[in-house]
Amino acid sequence: LCSCYPSGLLGIAPAWYKSSEFRSRAVREPRSVLQDFGLYVHPSQSIRVHDSTADHRYLVLPQRPEGTQGWSEEELRRLVTRDSMIGVSLPAMAKPETI
């Protein structure tokens, strides 16, 4: 979950997204918060939480889907969703010709 919500790309962030209650829970229970969004992260995969401030920002880079080696930037761009940009889902997976 990225506190540096890209409002220029995605519009204004929902009020709950900026609330101290939500942010605190995301730090304390990141797996649970991600699961609320429908993203199950296997226990063997680590989750790192960086509680940012106005002086520090973190960029969440979506995990590259298997089978996309050799895809163009445009083909890859089509897989990225709002949710994957803020770190609550993985990029959508589809073959380049079906996007």
Side-chain angles (χ1 to χ4, degrees):
L1 300 169
C2 185
S3 65
C4 53
Y5 189 89
S7 57
L9 294 171
L10 303 177
I12 297 172
W16 58 262
Y17 190 79
K18 295 181 179 182
S19 74
S20 60
E21 181 182 326
F22 174 76
R23 292 182 64 206
S24 295
R25 183 167 174 250
V27 170
R28 284 189 328 270
E29 307 170 2
R31 258 177 231 286
S32 178
V33 169
L34 292 172
Q35 194 135 15
D36 289 349
F37 282 93
L39 178 62
Y40 170 76
V41 179
H42 194 274
S44 66
Q45 189 166 1
S46 66
I47 297 176
R48 285 178 276 176
V49 177
H50 299 276
D51 194 12
S52 64
T53 67
D55 297 327
H56 294 89
R57 292 288 179 236
Y58 296 92
L59 177 63
V60 176
L61 298 176
Q63 183 175 333
R64 184 182 193 129
E66 288 185 34
T68 60
Q69 289 69 20
W71 285 24
S72 70
E73 182 178 330
E74 179 60 32
E75 291 167 329
L76 291 169
R77 187 179 300 131
R78 293 177 185 167
L79 300 181
V80 179
T81 64
R82 178 190 68 90
D83 287 351
S84 67
M85 286 185 70
I86 62 171
V88 298
S89 77
L90 299 176
M93 186 55 203
K95 294 182 181 174
E97 62 273 8
T98 64
I99 303 175

